[in-house]
Amino acid sequence: MDATFEWHEKRTTTPDGVYRVLRSAILDGSVPPGGQLREAHIAADLGISRSPLREALTRLEEEGLVVKIPFRGAFVVEVSAREVAEIASIRLRVEPYAGQLSMEVLRGRERPTLMQTIEDLHRATEQNDIPASIDAHLRFHRLFYDFSGHGILQSLWNGWENKLRLYLVVDHRSYSDVHDIAREHEGLVACVLAGDVDGFGREMVHHFPSALHAQTEGHGNASSGVPDNAAPAWAPTSPSADPAKED
């Protein structure tokens, strides 16, 4: 059954306004991964012509949220459990390094940016605004890559951000208390502000169990490639450091 599309703001016939309606429907789960975005149905719901709708769909395609299949139409992109697990297994190793490289900047001149982003995440979860919480969640983690000064790390993030966005559509809705999403990130903020590189790495480990296990759950006995009790490859050894482990 097709979703019902409604204006959440003042009705507009511009492609940008249509794009925001469709993007919100994708990110709040109204149109699930693999779901079709039927032009006639959407145009009728919103009272618009096909022209701004097609421009909006093209923009969503460029963003990686929609795929157009010739003679069939536009569909929300699907992300497999294997892809999610593989991305998580790489992030577990490289994101703590990105955090280490960006820490000085985020403790200093970009501290307001860091604090604004975590505030945005708290506000979105308090309002139970799933699309906004996904955007803030991704902006938060992107900070470590953007301010790492490392081009390869930045390219890695750019390569998987849209897949993560679609995964978080499901992940955020799975929380019994959506406020936990923001609270989970407070530990990372505290480590950054304290300059605690080892602590940052340990905090990162707790972000990935569900994503790492997704591959096993979705593909029989497939392994994520990250053994239990595996410490991130970047991690400096320290007598006081607890071994990194999955929850």
Side-chain angles (χ1 to χ4, degrees), residues 12-247:
T12 175
T13 59
T14 65
D16 189 58
V18 179
Y19 159 82
R20 289 196 297 272
V21 171
L22 298 184
R23 188 176 187 272
S24 178
I26 293 170
L27 295 185
D28 70 13
S30 297
V31 186
Q36 186 170 8
L37 295 162
R38 303 178 191 277
E39 290 188 13
H41 173 74
I42 298 169
D45 276 358
L46 298 180
I48 58 172
S49 68
R50 299 287 185 94
S51 179
L53 173 56
R54 288 171 177 164
E55 287 188 50
L57 289 171
T58 296
R59 184 172 169 186
L60 289 165
E61 182 181 34
E62 292 170 350
E63 193 175 340
L65 295 178
V66 165
V67 60
K68 293 180 182 176
I69 301 176
F71 309 111
R72 290 189 59 197
F75 297 80
V76 177
V77 170
E78 294 183 271
V79 179
S80 72
R82 177 178 291 276
E83 287 178 299
V84 171
E86 289 178 351
I87 291 170
S89 69
I90 296 171
R91 286 184 65 198
L92 180 61
R93 287 162 168 78
V94 304
E95 195 155 323
Y97 181 50
Q100 180 180 357
L101 293 177
S102 63
M103 199 168 284
E104 182 177 353
V105 173
L106 291 174
R107 293 177 69 199
R109 62 180 172 84
E110 292 299 335
R111 176 171 175 158
T113 304
L114 175 67
M115 302 311 294
Q116 181 62 57
T117 306
I118 193 66
E119 182 180 328
D120 290 344
L121 184 53
H122 273 291
R123 183 183 305 108
T125 56
E126 286 168 3
Q127 297 174 353
N128 199 29
D129 186 337
I130 297 298
S133 71
I134 291 170
D135 285 341
H137 188 158
L138 291 172
R139 285 202 313 275
F140 178 87
H141 287 280
R142 187 183 183 99
L143 291 176
F144 305 120
Y145 296 80
D146 282 350
F147 293 111
S148 68
H150 195 299
I152 298 299
L153 288 175
Q154 292 163 358
S155 294
L156 283 172
W157 179 266
N158 291 336
W160 63 49
E161 183 176 48
N162 285 325
K163 294 182 186 297
L164 290 176
R165 191 179 302 279
L166 290 165
Y167 164 67
L168 291 179
V169 171
V170 177
D171 182 66
H172 277 210
R173 294 168 67 87
S174 71
Y175 279 77
S176 57
D177 183 354
V178 72
H179 296 86
D180 287 341
I181 298 168
R183 286 193 286 262
E184 287 175 358
H185 290 74
E186 288 287 359
L188 291 172
V189 173
C191 289
V192 170
L193 297 181
D196 183 357
V197 174
D198 287 357
F200 185 96
R202 290 192 294 273
E203 284 288 333
M204 281 301 307
V205 172
H206 298 299
H207 274 59
F208 296 111
S210 61
L212 289 170
H213 293 161
Q215 185 171 329
T216 301
E217 293 168 0
H219 296 273
N221 295 321
S223 167
S224 69
V226 179
D228 289 342
N229 300 320
W234 68 275
T237 57
S238 171
S240 62
D242 295 330
K245 59 176 185 257
E246 295 179 30
D247 284 340

